[in-house]
Amino acid sequence: MSKEKKPKKKDSKFIKKIKQHMYKWHRVIGLVTIIPVIFWTLSGLMHPFMAHFFKPEIARDKLEQQTIDKKQLHFSIQEVLKKNSINDFKNFRIVQFDNTTFYQVKMIPGDLLYFDTSNAKKLENGDQKYAEWLSRSFLDDQKSAVKNSEIVTEFTSQYKYVNRYLPVYKLTFDRPDTMEVYVETSSGKLATYNPTSRQWFIWFFDTFHNWSFIDAITNNSIRIITMIFLLSIIGFSALSGILIYGLLWKQFKKTDNVQPKGLRKYHRQIGIWVSLFTLTFAFSGAYHATTKWAPYTLSQMVYEPTFETKEIPIPNTSLNLDWNRFQNISIITLNDTTYYRCQLVEKETKKFKKQKSDSNSKWNKKEDPKSEVVYINATTNQIMPNIDLEYAEFLAYYFTDGAPKASCCEMVESTDEEPQPSLENVKLLESKVLTDFESREYGFVNKRLPVIKLAYDTPEKTTYFIETATSRLAAVVKNSDKVEGYSFAILHKFLFMDWAGKNIRDLTMVLAALTILIVSVLGFILFLRK
């Protein structure tokens, strides 16, 4: 007997509704997002590609800390200020360049003046000369002419906020690579350097990954809203693709006789495999974009009181310290008292271990010797212990106006009916000195070292990182910042692949972005052939 054929089970109304609309909406969503996907994947591909094949090189990224011979300080800072009729100023330190030692004095308007410690004479255009000397030292280039020298006071399309330092000097050298070097003369540090290849890459990435072109048309808020909207659409496109080509494919393939089988097969199979990466890229990118609403104000978080020369009776050349270990000096005020902040080489210099070899690092060097910080009362010449931590706590209190604010770095008056809890009444959970970028919480992107970490027992477990050498807030991290940071690091930058090494991690990220691009292009071709 022949077997009777079972009647085909009819689709439910729900399935019919899905079949009527989802296929259509998946194509429409894909069409809407094809251009953003191309922009983001191509510019995303450029990042690791540039890092490996067009990575710029420089002779050194920082200057070695040298001890300063007291014999070079023929005049004290008080004598120099008096000879040059300077009654008040913000701060001073000592710099050495061109075989000469200078007092670098920060004036009330913010300009930096340089005075020879051997004769108290002012160096004309001293800040520009120091900036050029720093740039040439970092490049190890004493021959190339300087085409242009300018002061940068705000972040630009080429000098991004990720570089942290402001203000800085930008020097452009007459070389085949048109090297641009950014230096902070107030600290003698390298901010960044961009040869022609990197200048082009920064423009490309900023334009097509960060969508800076929208800023030029409207404003930052519209740019962020547009990016979040399109990333959400891309996420929905990936989810609908999973539903159509994965979970409900048996239902949809019956009506799919008109499409080219080869392209459809590849679009379906590759799409399902990379849908997870599409979702992680889209989610972490949108989440990261939400942190860009407020303008970057961390560079403004500096405590700079005005000092009068008469307030510092003890000459800096007469201080009670070990001059054989002397590296530098500045002044601070704490609890209505003025102190000299002296930086010395540590007494017991340990044998520093060589850093582990890293094929991806340009600077395989020995670890820098650590410094000791000593505070001396500028009136009594008495060494004061544990002032560095106390000063860091004061700065944290000052930068938050006495309380941890909801906003990262803005010193604003609270508008809440109930007063914010003062940091003086909040328990300090942890305090320690960081001399290395040793964790993801305070990574190399923060630039400044050494800093003092202060973790407070607030609802958000707010942690402040204070650079006492410059009286600056280097970073502030809350629980919400940690969640977003880990989301972006793991889902967008693939740091979960660190165990395999940077090369494998970057290769995985490149392949993921490339396959997302291929899937999108295949889908677009299918739409055109429809």
Side-chain angles (χ1 to χ4, degrees), residues 20 63 94 136 141 167 183 187 215 230 269 281 287 298 300 373 377 403 411 440 474 481 490 523:
Q20 287 173 5
L63 300 179
I94 299 172
R136 293 189 182 280
D141 183 350
V183 294
S187 64
D215 276 340
L230 288 172
Q269 292 180 343
F281 277 135
Y287 191 8
L298 201 62
Q300 302 170 18
V373 177
N377 191 305
M411 291 184 291
R440 301 210 186 283
D481 300 318
I490 295 172

Side-chain angles (χ1 to χ4, degrees), residues 137-314:
S137 297
F138 292 132
L139 291 175
D140 194 19
D141 183 350
Q142 304 300 324
K143 297 180 180 180
S144 300
V146 175
K147 290 175 61 177
N148 186 46
S149 176
E150 60 181 295
I151 299 176
V152 177
T153 57
E154 60 184 20
F155 297 112
T156 66
S157 59
Q158 280 291 313
Y159 186 70
K160 309 296 291 182
Y161 73 91
V162 72
N163 296 301
R164 297 297 194 268
Y165 299 125
L166 277 180
V168 293
Y169 266 88
K170 172 188 173 183
L171 288 94
T172 306
F173 286 85
D174 187 10
R175 308 185 345 166
D177 60 2
T178 321
M179 179 68 80
E180 296 175 349
V181 182
Y182 296 81
V183 294
E184 185 185 55
T185 53
S186 62
S187 64
K189 292 181 178 178
L190 172 69
T192 191
Y193 56 98
N194 300 329
T196 303
S197 59
R198 184 167 173 79
Q199 293 168 34
W200 182 87
F201 165 70
I202 291 173
W203 174 86
F204 187 87
F205 193 83
D206 195 42
T207 302
F208 296 106
H209 209 82
N210 298 331
W211 288 30
S212 60
F213 62 89
I214 296 182
D215 276 340
I217 302 170
T218 55
N219 55 51
N220 182 58
S221 296
I222 298 298
R223 178 179 69 90
I224 294 172
I225 291 171
T226 303
M227 291 176 72
I228 292 175
F229 173 74
L230 288 172
L231 285 166
S232 300
I233 295 297
I234 290 171
F236 284 127
S237 177
L239 288 173
S240 63
I242 293 172
L243 194 59
I244 293 170
Y245 296 119
L247 302 178
L248 302 176
W249 178 239
K250 289 182 179 180
Q251 299 290 334
F252 282 103
K253 70 178 180 179
K254 298 172 186 177
T255 61
D256 196 36
N257 297 321
V258 295
Q259 295 289 357
K261 295 300 180 183
L263 288 178
R264 174 65 63 197
K265 177 182 177 182
Y266 292 134
H267 180 69
R268 173 178 177 253
Q269 292 180 343
I270 299 174
I272 291 175
W273 277 105
V274 301
S275 58
L276 178 61
F277 292 132
T278 305
L279 289 171
T280 57
F281 277 135
F283 170 77
S284 57
Y287 191 8
H288 188 64
T290 62
T291 66
K292 305 300 181 181
W293 292 108
Y296 179 83
T297 57
L298 201 62
S299 60
Q300 302 170 18
M301 297 297 100
V302 55
Y303 176 55
E304 292 184 311
T306 299
F307 294 95
E308 294 184 16
T309 307
K310 62 183 180 181
E311 294 176 342
I312 316 169
I314 303 294

